[in-house]
mmCIF file of all heavy atoms in Angstrom:
data_model
loop_
_atom_site.group_PDB
_atom_site.id
_atom_site.type_symbol
_atom_site.label_atom_id
_atom_site.label_comp_id
_atom_site.label_asym_id
_atom_site.label_seq_id
_atom_site.Cartn_x
_atom_site.Cartn_y
_atom_site.Cartn_z
ATOM 1 N N LEU V 29 351.597 -32.726 -214.055
ATOM 2 C CA LEU V 29 350.234 -33.087 -214.486
ATOM 3 C C LEU V 29 349.577 -33.634 -213.221
ATOM 4 O O LEU V 29 350.185 -34.360 -212.401
ATOM 5 C CB LEU V 29 350.381 -34.250 -215.588
ATOM 6 C CG LEU V 29 349.099 -34.625 -216.200
ATOM 7 C CD1 LEU V 29 348.154 -33.502 -216.719
ATOM 8 C CD2 LEU V 29 349.144 -35.821 -217.006
ATOM 9 N N GLY V 30 348.380 -33.120 -212.965
ATOM 10 C CA GLY V 30 347.640 -33.673 -211.697
ATOM 11 C C GLY V 30 346.309 -33.768 -211.926
ATOM 12 O O GLY V 30 345.797 -33.526 -213.017
ATOM 13 N N THR V 36 330.871 -26.943 -205.409
ATOM 14 C CA THR V 36 330.268 -25.985 -204.869
ATOM 15 C C THR V 36 328.747 -26.272 -204.645
ATOM 16 O O THR V 36 328.268 -27.364 -205.201
ATOM 17 C CB THR V 36 330.313 -24.688 -205.806
ATOM 18 O OG1 THR V 36 329.958 -23.563 -205.069
ATOM 19 C CG2 THR V 36 329.545 -24.968 -207.236
ATOM 20 N N SER V 37 328.021 -25.578 -203.890
ATOM 21 C CA SER V 37 326.608 -25.640 -203.779
ATOM 22 C C SER V 37 326.013 -24.258 -203.933
ATOM 23 O O SER V 37 326.692 -23.138 -203.732
ATOM 24 C CB SER V 37 326.298 -26.171 -202.460
ATOM 25 O OG SER V 37 326.684 -25.346 -201.348
ATOM 26 N N SER V 39 322.266 -21.871 -204.044
ATOM 27 C CA SER V 39 320.996 -21.692 -203.300
ATOM 28 C C SER V 39 320.871 -22.530 -202.002
ATOM 29 O O SER V 39 319.937 -23.376 -201.910
ATOM 30 C CB SER V 39 319.801 -22.049 -204.290
ATOM 31 O OG SER V 39 319.949 -21.342 -205.489
ATOM 32 N N LEU V 45 327.303 -29.194 -206.997
ATOM 33 C CA LEU V 45 328.015 -29.473 -208.260
ATOM 34 C C LEU V 45 329.435 -29.951 -207.891
ATOM 35 O O LEU V 45 330.028 -29.391 -207.034
ATOM 36 C CB LEU V 45 328.077 -28.155 -209.119
ATOM 37 C CG LEU V 45 328.884 -28.211 -210.491
ATOM 38 C CD1 LEU V 45 328.205 -27.479 -211.474
ATOM 39 C CD2 LEU V 45 330.300 -27.726 -210.332
ATOM 40 N N TYR V 49 339.168 -32.533 -212.853
ATOM 41 C CA TYR V 49 340.016 -31.996 -214.004
ATOM 42 C C TYR V 49 341.278 -32.617 -213.990
ATOM 43 O O TYR V 49 341.909 -32.892 -212.889
ATOM 44 C CB TYR V 49 340.189 -30.599 -213.926
ATOM 45 C CG TYR V 49 339.112 -29.681 -214.140
ATOM 46 C CD1 TYR V 49 338.188 -29.280 -213.082
ATOM 47 C CD2 TYR V 49 338.607 -29.096 -215.406
ATOM 48 C CE1 TYR V 49 337.142 -28.453 -213.246
ATOM 49 C CE2 TYR V 49 337.592 -28.295 -215.582
ATOM 50 C CZ TYR V 49 336.806 -27.968 -214.587
ATOM 51 O OH TYR V 49 335.697 -27.108 -214.677
ATOM 52 N N GLY V 61 366.314 -18.445 -199.737
ATOM 53 C CA GLY V 61 366.794 -19.096 -198.687
ATOM 54 C C GLY V 61 366.770 -18.321 -197.336
ATOM 55 O O GLY V 61 367.540 -17.378 -197.337
ATOM 56 N N LEU V 74 350.552 -19.935 -215.127
ATOM 57 C CA LEU V 74 349.194 -20.431 -215.755
ATOM 58 C C LEU V 74 348.926 -21.721 -215.314
ATOM 59 O O LEU V 74 349.842 -22.546 -215.109
ATOM 60 C CB LEU V 74 349.336 -20.111 -217.291
ATOM 61 C CG LEU V 74 349.567 -18.774 -217.730
ATOM 62 C CD1 LEU V 74 349.631 -18.879 -219.315
ATOM 63 C CD2 LEU V 74 348.287 -17.864 -217.449
ATOM 64 N N MET V 76 346.299 -24.906 -216.842
ATOM 65 C CA MET V 76 345.374 -25.336 -217.747
ATOM 66 C C MET V 76 344.568 -26.666 -217.329
ATOM 67 O O MET V 76 345.378 -27.451 -216.753
ATOM 68 C CB MET V 76 345.905 -25.584 -219.103
ATOM 69 C CG MET V 76 346.474 -24.325 -219.807
ATOM 70 S SD MET V 76 347.745 -24.490 -221.100
ATOM 71 C CE MET V 76 349.153 -24.617 -219.988
ATOM 72 N N PHE V 80 337.110 -34.142 -216.893
ATOM 73 C CA PHE V 80 336.889 -35.424 -217.271
ATOM 74 C C PHE V 80 335.691 -36.236 -216.631
ATOM 75 O O PHE V 80 335.154 -37.223 -217.053
ATOM 76 C CB PHE V 80 338.169 -36.363 -217.205
ATOM 77 C CG PHE V 80 338.537 -36.650 -215.726
ATOM 78 C CD1 PHE V 80 338.065 -37.738 -215.063
ATOM 79 C CD2 PHE V 80 339.448 -35.738 -215.156
ATOM 80 C CE1 PHE V 80 338.578 -38.032 -213.786
ATOM 81 C CE2 PHE V 80 339.995 -35.981 -213.917
ATOM 82 C CZ PHE V 80 339.457 -37.119 -213.287
ATOM 83 N N ALA V 81 335.206 -35.613 -215.458
ATOM 84 C CA ALA V 81 334.125 -36.170 -214.827
ATOM 85 C C ALA V 81 333.505 -35.181 -213.796
ATOM 86 O O ALA V 81 333.994 -34.184 -213.544
ATOM 87 C CB ALA V 81 334.618 -37.493 -213.990
ATOM 88 N N SER V 88 316.352 -34.804 -206.625
ATOM 89 C CA SER V 88 316.662 -36.172 -206.917
ATOM 90 C C SER V 88 317.196 -36.269 -208.411
ATOM 91 O O SER V 88 317.537 -37.345 -208.897
ATOM 92 C CB SER V 88 315.424 -37.052 -206.739
ATOM 93 O OG SER V 88 314.399 -36.546 -207.604
ATOM 94 N N GLY V 98 325.965 -29.142 -220.363
ATOM 95 C CA GLY V 98 326.937 -28.833 -219.235
ATOM 96 C C GLY V 98 327.971 -27.877 -219.407
ATOM 97 O O GLY V 98 327.848 -27.004 -220.446
ATOM 98 N N LEU V 128 337.991 -18.216 -218.147
ATOM 99 C CA LEU V 128 337.066 -18.576 -219.106
ATOM 100 C C LEU V 128 335.645 -18.818 -218.482
ATOM 101 O O LEU V 128 335.637 -19.355 -217.304
ATOM 102 C CB LEU V 128 337.482 -19.881 -219.943
ATOM 103 C CG LEU V 128 338.666 -19.722 -220.640
ATOM 104 C CD1 LEU V 128 339.005 -21.167 -221.301
ATOM 105 C CD2 LEU V 128 338.851 -18.599 -221.654
ATOM 106 N N VAL V 136 324.509 -16.281 -217.475
ATOM 107 C CA VAL V 136 325.081 -16.792 -216.316
ATOM 108 C C VAL V 136 326.574 -16.926 -216.617
ATOM 109 O O VAL V 136 327.121 -17.418 -217.566
ATOM 110 C CB VAL V 136 324.536 -18.291 -216.051
ATOM 111 C CG1 VAL V 136 325.239 -18.991 -214.942
ATOM 112 C CG2 VAL V 136 323.017 -18.163 -215.798
ATOM 113 N N PHE V 143 340.967 -21.635 -203.715
ATOM 114 C CA PHE V 143 342.222 -21.625 -202.884
ATOM 115 C C PHE V 143 342.693 -23.038 -202.685
ATOM 116 O O PHE V 143 342.080 -24.052 -202.703
ATOM 117 C CB PHE V 143 341.874 -21.115 -201.420
ATOM 118 C CG PHE V 143 341.521 -19.555 -201.401
ATOM 119 C CD1 PHE V 143 340.180 -19.176 -201.336
ATOM 120 C CD2 PHE V 143 342.596 -18.742 -201.391
ATOM 121 C CE1 PHE V 143 339.887 -17.849 -201.248
ATOM 122 C CE2 PHE V 143 342.213 -17.380 -201.348
ATOM 123 C CZ PHE V 143 340.975 -16.908 -201.239
#
Side-chain angles (χ1 to χ4, degrees):
L29 182 62
T36 189
S37 62
S39 302
L45 179 140
Y49 290 90
L74 297 175
M76 291 161 277
F80 67 89
S88 61
L128 306 177
V136 175
F143 287 102

